[in-house]
């Protein structure tokens, strides 16, 4: 292919030894353009600083090249991460480090930290988080979802209502197949708040279609305020509920959280509420509840 007159001469295979100083100068002048063409945006933007730093550290050429590449790789990884986090649609930022295990003694920290390694995502297993409102289910879903994204997996967060609403609408519009395929795509699908409202049997059946589509393909992380033996009420149909549970629980980790709402702990301490039976408000918190973190949503 003929080269355009705009392009600098390519160095010969034997290297730059034969290049005239004027040619080198032209290459240097086109460096910005070449870096753009190669999509090495971080190197282009930080070139002066990076080269100065490389000189200050007296790096040899190979070391300097590695140093520049590392800056580009870090920047690309950062961009990938922030893009994947955006696509995941987490409702707020929550992390495993930010989860106070002392506040929720019914949770085994080792089990959650093990889930934090995301081996279950790699294996396509599911995680079911069960517990009353305010005990940290959504917090853990977001935190585990972020761990998965940080490890390079695609994730999508949705609520059960949003998901079912989208499936019902798609069915009415004749685009169910497309929607199911869309929800089947991320390696990890997080479904928050199943069970707050009972579903019509038809909606339960759509949910079943989704779960069986994802079965042994990708992971589902699902939370519910209702124990699984009440899911036939949630889905409005015993057979559909059994079929969903069969697939969901086949390769799964179930985490049951018992205890009081984290949100209400301070209020409870001030005497506004009485602790729930079997609750954990008095256990393991040393009498001093940590401040309730501000919502970052
Ligand atoms: P659920 O989804 O079970 O109703 P959330 O995860 O929404 O509860 O928790 C309510 C709020 O309390 C959130 O802001 C969450 O970050 C916080 N929270 C709950 N449990 C803990 C905990 N053990 N440590 C730190 N923050 C917590
Ligand atoms: Mg929640």
């Amino acid at each position: 292919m003929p080269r355009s007159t705009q392009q600098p001469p390519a160095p010969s295979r034997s290297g730059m030894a034969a290049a005239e100083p004027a040619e080198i100068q032209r290459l240097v002048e086109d460096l910005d353009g070449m870096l753009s063409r190669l999509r090495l945006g971080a190197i282009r933007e930080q070139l002066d600083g990076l080269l100065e730093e490389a000189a200050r550290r007296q790096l040899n050429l190979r070391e300097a090249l590695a140093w520049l590449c590392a800056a580009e790789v870090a920047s690309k990884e950062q961009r990938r991460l922030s893009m994947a986090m955006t696509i995941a649609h987490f409702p707020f930022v929550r992390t495993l480090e930010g989860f106070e295990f002392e506040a929720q003694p019914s949770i085994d920290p080792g089990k959650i930290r093990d889930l934090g390694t995301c081996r279950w995502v790699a294996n396509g297993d599911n995680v079911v988080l069960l517990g009353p409102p305010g005990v940290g289910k959504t917090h853990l879903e977001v935190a585990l979802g972020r761990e998965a994204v940080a490890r390079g997996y695609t994730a999508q967060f949705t609520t059960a209502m949003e998901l079912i609403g989208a499936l019902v609408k798609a069915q009415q519009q004749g685009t169910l197949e497309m929607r199911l395929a869309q929800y089947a795509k991320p390696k990890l699908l997080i479904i928050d708040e199943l069970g707050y409202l009972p579903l019509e049997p038809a909606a339960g059946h759509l949910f079943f279609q989704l779960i069986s589509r994802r079965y042994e393909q990708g992971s589902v992380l699902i939370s519910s305020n209702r124990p699984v033996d009440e899911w036939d009420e949630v889905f409005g149909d015993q057979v559909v509920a059994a079929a969903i549970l069969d697939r969901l629980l086949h390769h799964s980790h179930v985490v049951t959280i018992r205890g009081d709402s984290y949100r209400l702990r301070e209020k409870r301490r001030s005497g506004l509420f009485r602790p729930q039976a079997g609750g954990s408000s008095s256990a393991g918190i040393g009498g001093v509840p940590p401040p309730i973190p501000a919502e970052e949503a």
Side-chain angles (χ1 to χ4, degrees):
M1 210 171 68
R3 252 197 275 122
S4 94
T5 50
Q6 292 294 317
Q7 292 200 325
S12 68
R13 259 194 135 225
S14 58
M16 302 288 293
E20 298 294 327
E23 273 181 19
I24 303 267
Q25 188 52 39
R26 276 184 54 206
L27 288 176
V28 169
E29 280 164 19
D30 194 40
L31 183 53
D32 241 39
M34 288 192 287
L35 289 171
S36 294
R37 240 173 295 153
L38 293 170
R39 300 183 198 287
L40 301 173
I43 296 182
R44 196 192 64 226
E45 277 154 34
Q46 307 165 44
L47 189 60
D48 291 344
L50 288 170
L51 290 181
E52 271 167 33
E53 183 64 15
R56 200 181 61 75
R57 294 178 183 217
Q58 299 186 309
L59 303 184
N60 65 32
L61 285 178
R62 182 182 289 268
E63 289 166 342
L65 186 58
W67 167 256
L68 292 173
C69 287
E72 188 63 46
V73 167
S75 149
K76 287 214 170 7
E77 176 55 19
Q78 190 52 46
R79 271 189 51 193
R80 183 203 69 78
L81 199 62
S82 82
M83 191 108 79
M85 291 289 181
T86 307
I87 290 170
H89 271 110
F90 296 120
F92 41 56
V93 177
R94 290 294 184 279
T95 60
L96 285 185
E97 297 78 53
F99 192 81
E100 290 171 48
F101 288 100
E102 323 78 71
Q104 216 56 260
S106 66
I107 298 180
D108 172 7
K111 177 153 189 178
I112 302 297
R113 292 204 183 96
D114 190 43
L115 293 175
T117 65
C118 297
R119 266 200 310 274
W120 60 284
V121 182
N123 295 339
D125 296 350
N126 301 321
V127 169
V128 182
L129 295 179
L130 302 170
V135 294
K137 298 185 299 297
T138 307
H139 185 131
L140 289 173
E141 283 173 316
V142 171
L144 291 173
R146 289 173 61 88
E147 292 294 334
V149 169
R151 282 167 175 74
Y153 299 111
T154 48
Q156 190 185 342
F157 181 103
T158 182
T159 64
M161 277 302 135
E162 188 180 50
L163 172 80
I164 284 157
L167 294 179
V168 168
K169 192 168 160 202
Q171 191 177 40
Q172 288 161 355
Q173 295 176 342
T175 55
L176 181 60
E177 195 44 44
M178 226 172 65
R179 267 290 179 185
L180 284 171
Q182 186 200 330
Y183 281 122
K185 213 169 158 199
K187 180 74 180 155
L188 170 62
L189 181 67
I190 303 173
I191 307 172
D192 194 27
E193 295 191 344
L194 178 77
Y196 276 93
L197 290 173
L199 305 174
E200 296 291 323
H205 194 259
L206 288 173
F207 194 86
F208 165 74
Q209 282 182 263
L210 172 74
I211 295 300
S212 56
R213 181 71 66 105
R214 290 190 63 88
Y215 180 58
E216 292 187 332
Q217 305 270 329
S219 298
V220 173
L221 168 51
I222 189 165
S223 74
S224 178
N225 61 326
R226 310 276 299 267
V228 289
D229 57 8
E230 291 176 13
W231 281 21
D232 41 359
E233 285 168 41
V234 172
F235 290 109
D237 183 314
Q238 220 173 341
V239 177
V240 167
I244 290 170
L245 280 170
D246 183 55
R247 283 156 184 76
L248 210 51
L249 298 181
H250 186 196
H251 305 286
S252 72
H253 309 262
V254 179
V255 178
T256 303
I257 313 176
R258 290 177 195 86
D260 297 343
S261 163
Y262 188 88
R263 291 190 196 98
L264 300 181
R265 290 166 79 219
E266 266 199 338
K267 294 194 176 69
R268 193 168 285 119
R269 275 182 52 78
S270 70
L272 253 171
F273 297 91
R274 255 185 289 140
Q276 290 163 2
S280 62
S281 64
S282 60
I285 52 173
V288 185
I292 294 175
E295 295 284 344
E296 288 161 69

